[in-house]
Amino acid sequence: MNTPLLIERLFQYAQTYFPRKEIVSRTPDGIFRYTYADFGNRTRRLSSALSRLGVGPGDRVGTFAWNDHRHLEAYFAIPSMGSVLHTINIRLAPDQIAYIVNHAEDKVLLVDAGLVPLLAPIRDKLPTVEAFVILGNQVDPSASPLQPAYSYEALLAEADPEFEYPTDLDENSAMGMCYTSATTGNPKGVAYSHRGIYLHSMSMGLANTVALSDTDVALPVVPMFHANAWGMPFAAIWFGAKLVLPGPTPTPAILLDLMSQEQVTISAGVPTIWLGVLQELEAHPRPLSLRMVLCGGSAAPPALIRAYEERHGIPFAHAYGMTETSPLATFSRLKSYQRDLPYNERLAIRATQGLLVPGLDMRIVKDGEDVAWDGKQMGELLLRGPWIADEYYHDERTTSTFIDGWLHTGDVASIDPEGFVRLVDRTKDLIKSGGEWISSVDLENAIMGHPAVLEAAVVGVTHPKWDERPLAFVVLKPNQKVTKEELREFLTGQFAKWWLPDDILFLEEIPKTSVGKFMKRTLRDQYHDYLISDKGSL
Ligand code: ADP
């Protein structure tokens, strides 16, 4: 019972029991396929190469890469040797990238050849980095603007395929880290322990959650630089699933081609991905084998769930988590006795963020008291458990988020008598109108239920009388038309009158964060005074 829960054990199990299973990786040079056995050989070679570069237990190794087979090798090679896999978000601003590399004190960076130009301008700001390993097929390290540079493939060719991993690491030591954006200030580092990721991976195999198994073909669209691609690479490899990695800049058409050709059964991504994929699927249908579309990171609009299920027969699952929670924290799935409810009632349940994943603890708290499980009262969601972080890495902001052993998520939620959690909003996105709360998420979901609407974001903007009022931004589907008045009419009856947005503006695109969520902060900053300026409809 005291066996340490280490990433090396996941890797070892996959090697022993599933050597013939396949990994498919989309690269700039085309599709690359190999077996788990070959993946294992290259993973050990990578550990050996890193060790020869001076990387040892506890050292941080950064990755700056898309979802592909080399990134996957790093996912297992770095933690298995006792070093720390630091996945760096390639879409952050250069200053933020420099901040997190320095803050984590990365010793070596593994960089996709195509992403070298993003790091070249900040090379001089990265004093802790002793070597850049360039990932790609034809790499000439001497010509790289990042120095000292090495070719990943050349290093692997010379390395030891029998590299031995330590089996006595402390299961509570860090195996990885990821920085999450902060509303203000620099990104905050979250360190993941071996034990936490081991148990999180196991939770992905539960029939009550994702039920990932060797019968699956898994395609994580969610980037491997964002919250471990929701843990999918670790769990998929452990359980022997076929893994399909979509490579650089995957468009909806590329994703659907891969899903169709490789007979993908489960894929994970944020709602904006699934909105885009849906558009493409309706324009150019393809035969699919999906048993589950896993959607999280932002609220999944019920209309989106319905479109996948009713129009395309693709089961859609909604889950919730954060970088701080590894990330799977809640998963929405009907209880056995809810399966015969009418579709609309089932949809309403499944559009919630769902039930707490077994193994975790949760509270919803208002003014220090737990709220009633009545589906109405709202409070802040608090989490704790074996894969919930309990601090930010070397950061004084720890004390305001991790209190008495609980992660304070900054998300406002209610919980119904069955235990289904419904996220009302992020605290900072709630619209405070005349002392009452309006949920921007509820309004967005309803607007995205209109057939002409592709995307919608609602933010609170300053109002002289009510403090804040909702302002809606809408992107229409191509060749669709609808007026503000028609949209307002569409919302009337779904909400109390005082909830309706004061104005609706049509945009070409809603600004998105680095991981594809609506960037409401930008809209808020830009339109802060809209209703008190002469442009507003007030
Ligand atoms: P970032 O803060 O950069 O978005 P995270 O990915 O850690 O980084 O975001 C976590 C947050 O995303 C949660 O606190 C919550 O507000 C939101 N979120 C995640 N999943 C869902 C979901 N299913 N429904 C609504 N909001 C979600």
Side-chain angles (χ1 to χ4, degrees):
M1 288 184 184
N2 292 321
T3 308
L5 309 184
L6 301 176
I7 297 303
E8 180 269 337
R9 290 175 52 76
L10 275 56
F11 174 70
Q12 193 56 55
Y13 184 88
Q15 287 294 290
T16 309
Y17 293 101
F18 298 108
R20 291 166 54 190
K21 292 297 301 253
E22 195 182 25
I23 294 161
V24 179
S25 170
R26 179 178 159 266
T27 75
D29 307 312
I31 297 287
F32 174 80
R33 297 170 188 274
Y34 64 167
T35 61
Y36 274 30
D38 292 338
F39 154 74
N41 178 303
R42 284 172 54 91
T43 297
R44 284 184 195 273
R45 285 174 184 268
L46 174 57
S47 301
S48 148
L50 289 171
S51 161
R52 288 180 191 172
L53 286 176
V55 173
D59 285 337
R60 268 78 64 205
V61 179
T63 58
F64 199 73
W66 295 101
N67 293 11
D68 74 359
H69 64 290
R70 295 189 181 94
H71 206 172
L72 183 73
E73 287 156 12
Y75 254 55
F76 285 85
I78 297 166
S80 294
M81 64 192 287
S83 309
V84 182
L85 167 78
H86 172 203
T87 52
I88 303 166
N89 184 334
I90 61 171
R91 299 210 183 92
L92 292 180
D95 280 355
Q96 292 197 322
I97 294 171
Y99 170 82
I100 66 174
V101 171
N102 287 318
H103 191 263
E105 299 176 82
D106 291 333
K107 193 165 183 177
V108 171
L109 290 189
L110 308 186
V111 186
D112 266 357
L115 299 173
V116 167
L118 294 181
L119 291 187
I122 55 168
R123 166 57 185 118
D124 292 343
K125 295 186 182 156
L126 311 176
T128 64
V129 179
E130 296 171 13
F132 294 88
V133 178
I134 314 296
L135 318 179
N137 274 347
Q138 259 88 47
V139 170
D140 174 7
S142 63
S144 177
L146 300 173
Q147 289 297 336
Y150 298 84
S151 152
Y152 183 89
E153 291 301 328
L155 288 179
L156 259 57
E158 289 161 14
D160 175 9
E162 316 262 302
F163 185 85
E164 289 288 330
Y165 289 127
T167 51
D168 57 350
L169 295 171
D170 178 357
E171 64 176 11
N172 292 308
S173 63
M175 57 63 65
M177 43 190 323
C178 184
Y179 281 70
T180 181
S181 57
T183 319
T184 50
N186 283 314
K188 296 173 283 190
V190 176
Y192 302 110
S193 69
H194 283 264
R195 177 187 158 81
I197 296 302
Y198 188 105
L199 292 170
H200 179 268
S201 304
M202 195 158 256
S203 82
M204 302 270 297
L206 298 178
N208 271 10
T209 68
V210 185
L212 205 60
S213 83
D214 90 299
T215 56
D216 275 314
V217 180
L219 189 160
V221 184
V222 48
M224 289 168 75
F225 55 74
H226 180 59
N228 301 322
W230 299 351
M232 204 173 236
F234 292 120
I237 293 290
W238 190 8
F239 303 141
K242 171 174 162 186
L243 191 58
V244 181
L245 299 167
T249 348
T251 60
I254 290 173
L255 290 171
L256 277 169
D257 286 344
L258 274 175
M259 287 179 197
S260 183
Q261 285 154 15
E262 303 299 333
Q263 297 177 321
V264 168
T265 61
I266 176 164
S267 182
V270 294
T272 51
I273 293 287
W274 298 120
L275 286 167
V277 167
L278 181 65
Q279 286 284 106
E280 171 66 23
L281 186 59
E282 314 232 298
H284 307 283
R286 292 140 168 103
L288 294 172
S289 320
L290 285 163
R291 73 161 176 90
M292 183 189 287
V293 156
L294 181 60
C295 181
S298 302
L304 181 68
I305 306 180
R306 183 189 281 273
Y308 271 89
E309 298 195 336
E310 282 195 339
R311 293 217 289 274
H312 301 283
I314 299 173
F316 197 99
H318 189 199
Y320 159 86
M322 311 169 71
T323 303
E324 292 85 336
T325 64
S326 292
L328 187 62
T330 68
F331 182 90
S332 201
R333 182 176 166 277
L334 294 174
K335 294 184 182 176
S336 56
Y337 51 83
Q338 293 171 325
R339 292 204 175 151
D340 297 328
L341 292 172
Y343 183 76
N344 278 348
E345 283 177 48
R346 282 185 278 142
L347 180 63
I349 298 172
R350 294 182 40 244
T352 69
Q353 279 64 23
L355 293 177
L356 186 69
V357 172
L360 299 179
D361 295 323
M362 181 188 69
R363 294 176 65 196
I364 297 178
V365 172
K366 175 128 198 246
D367 301 326
E369 300 287 328
D370 290 74
V371 303
W373 287 32
D374 61 3
K376 296 193 185 77
Q377 293 187 48
M378 296 179 246
E380 187 181 12
L381 180 65
L382 275 46
L383 289 163
R384 77 175 177 199
W387 57 90
I388 309 294
D390 45 22
E391 62 173 5
Y392 290 123
Y393 180 71
H394 295 179
D395 198 312
E396 60 195 20
R397 288 169 290 184
T398 288
T399 49
S400 50
T401 301
F402 302 93
I403 305 164
D404 296 333
W406 291 91
L407 162 68
H408 288 239
T409 63
D411 289 317
V412 176
S414 62
I415 184 164
D416 74 10
E418 294 283 352
F420 285 85
V421 175
R422 204 177 73 84
L423 235 75
V424 179
D425 223 329
R426 285 185 154 190
T427 315
K428 55 181 184 277
D429 290 337
L430 266 179
I431 300 157
K432 288 109 194 163
S433 172
E436 300 284 347
W437 286 350
I438 296 175
S439 159
S440 65
V441 174
D442 285 358
L443 287 170
E444 287 161 5
N445 283 345
I447 300 172
M448 286 191 270
H450 190 284
V453 174
L454 179 64
E455 295 177 346
V458 177
V459 300
V461 296
T462 305
H463 187 282
K465 182 167 173 201
W466 304 109
D467 289 340
E468 275 185 357
R469 289 292 303 155
L471 180 62
F473 299 87
V474 169
V475 179
L476 294 181
K477 290 182 185 160
N479 308 320
Q480 295 281 333
K481 275 216 169 87
V482 61
T483 62
K484 288 181 192 190
E485 292 68 32
E486 285 163 342
L487 274 181
R488 231 183 118 79
E489 185 57 35
F490 176 74
L491 295 177
T492 309
Q494 298 191 51
F495 296 101
K497 209 155 170 239
W498 60 274
W499 269 56
L500 299 183
D502 280 24
D503 203 353
I504 299 174
L505 303 180
F506 293 94
L507 299 181
E508 290 287 307
E509 195 188 349
I510 305 235
K512 313 249 173 20
T513 70
S514 57
V515 291
K517 307 187 193 186
F518 295 149
M519 184 131 70
K520 300 212 270 190
R521 197 181 350 149
T522 308
L523 291 173
R524 236 186 333 255
D525 291 349
Q526 216 173 329
Y527 289 88
H528 188 259
D529 296 328
Y530 181 80
L531 293 178
I532 48 179
S533 70
D534 50 10
K535 294 189 284 281
S537 68
L538 194 69

